[in-house]
Amino acid sequence: MKKLIMLLMAVCLMIPTVEAQNKTLEKARKKEYKQKIKQYKKEGWKLFGSSRTLEVALLTHYDKLNSLGDDGSEEIGIASKFKSKNVGHQMAINNACVTYAQKAGSRVKGRIVSDMQGDGVNADTEFDKFYSAYERLVEKEIKGEMQESYSIIRELGDGNYEMQTYFIVNESAASKARIRAMENAARESEMAQKYAQKISDFVREGFKDE
């Protein structure tokens, strides 16, 4: 009974702290939102391909990210100096996929090089083919897992535009794309097949501790 009372007292003491933290976080989010909207308007950005306002689009974007918590990440695709807005939009989508694939490849390479060198394996040369194939395949596979949130566009002059397209990535779903890419890329490298389980573990980790 004494232990139960102490536990209840501890919980009661924790509640005000949690509430204070939530209020601080909410205040920081509102400040972040206002600063972002101010920046967009100052730099001449406008919402592209939507009947909504930029304010609503950004709020919706943040809500989706917050609902996913640690499992959600943001990816941005950039396109510049184009005249056709639709072409620019596709360029931004492709750029986001390439950027995600490069980050995925760099993360796995960093882990493999570190671990394999400890085993006396020259991972830099043995895995070059695997890294190249892995990034190429992640770029292909991740397109189905990246959820476009909103795009902004601005004029550069001379009929040219610049665009930024924002995506939300569910890393649990994206890990399946990375695994598919890893399995296909491993077929191109005997060394990767040898260390398949360890590489698979690295790929499954995603970007959680970044």
Side-chain angles (χ1 to χ4, degrees):
M1 185 66 180
K2 186 177 180 181
K3 289 182 179 180
L4 178 60
I5 293 174
M6 291 179 66
L7 179 61
L8 290 173
M9 289 178 64
V11 170
C12 290
L13 290 172
M14 286 174 61
I15 291 175
T17 302
V18 172
E19 289 180 346
Q21 290 175 343
N22 289 339
K23 287 181 179 179
T24 301
L25 180 59
E26 186 61 28
K27 185 177 180 180
R29 285 174 175 169
K30 287 181 179 179
K31 183 178 179 180
E32 179 185 21
Y33 165 77
K34 289 179 180 179
Q35 288 176 340
K36 199 70 174 177
I37 289 293
K38 185 178 179 180
Q39 176 190 340
Y40 281 159
K41 292 185 175 181
K42 182 180 180 181
E43 295 176 356
W45 292 103
K46 295 180 180 179
L47 191 65
F48 171 77
S50 175
S51 60
R52 289 186 165 188
T53 64
L54 182 56
E55 288 82 357
V56 170
L58 185 59
L59 280 174
T60 303
H61 177 74
Y62 284 157
D63 283 345
K64 290 177 181 177
L65 271 177
N66 294 337
S67 67
L68 286 172
D70 293 337
D71 204 33
S73 66
E74 179 185 74
E75 200 62 65
I76 306 172
I78 299 172
S80 60
K81 294 185 178 179
F82 57 85
K83 294 185 183 296
S84 168
K85 295 179 181 180
N86 290 331
V87 170
H89 185 222
Q90 190 57 53
M91 287 169 61
I93 293 173
N94 293 340
N95 177 256
C97 293
V98 170
T99 301
Y100 185 94
Q102 289 175 341
K103 289 198 298 186
S106 295
R107 180 182 176 85
V108 172
K109 183 173 183 178
R111 290 294 303 273
I112 290 174
V113 170
S114 176
D115 279 47
M116 300 309 169
Q117 283 180 344
D119 296 335
V121 177
N122 190 343
D124 280 326
T125 56
E126 293 286 352
F127 282 92
D128 277 349
K129 184 183 291 186
F130 169 77
Y131 299 139
S132 178
Y134 178 63
E135 287 189 13
R136 183 181 73 250
L137 292 165
V138 168
E139 180 185 343
K140 177 183 176 182
E141 295 284 351
I142 199 61
K143 285 185 178 180
E145 305 298 343
M146 294 182 69
Q147 177 186 352
E148 183 175 345
S149 186
Y150 69 98
S151 294
I152 52 176
I153 190 169
R154 66 178 176 180
E155 293 186 33
L156 295 176
D158 297 325
N160 289 307
Y161 295 90
E162 181 178 8
M163 185 177 292
Q164 293 181 2
T165 298
Y166 289 75
F167 295 85
I168 292 176
V169 182
N170 183 319
E171 289 299 339
S172 291
S175 67
K176 297 176 182 177
R178 294 195 301 270
I179 289 296
R180 290 195 299 270
M182 183 275 294
E183 291 172 344
N184 290 326
R187 296 190 181 99
E188 301 182 23
S189 168
E190 292 183 7
M191 185 63 73
Q193 292 172 29
K194 181 179 178 181
Y195 291 96
Q197 186 55 55
K198 183 168 287 191
I199 295 172
S200 178
D201 291 342
F202 295 162
V203 170
R204 290 177 190 277
E205 288 177 9
F207 305 117
K208 290 182 180 179
D209 51 312
E210 287 189 348

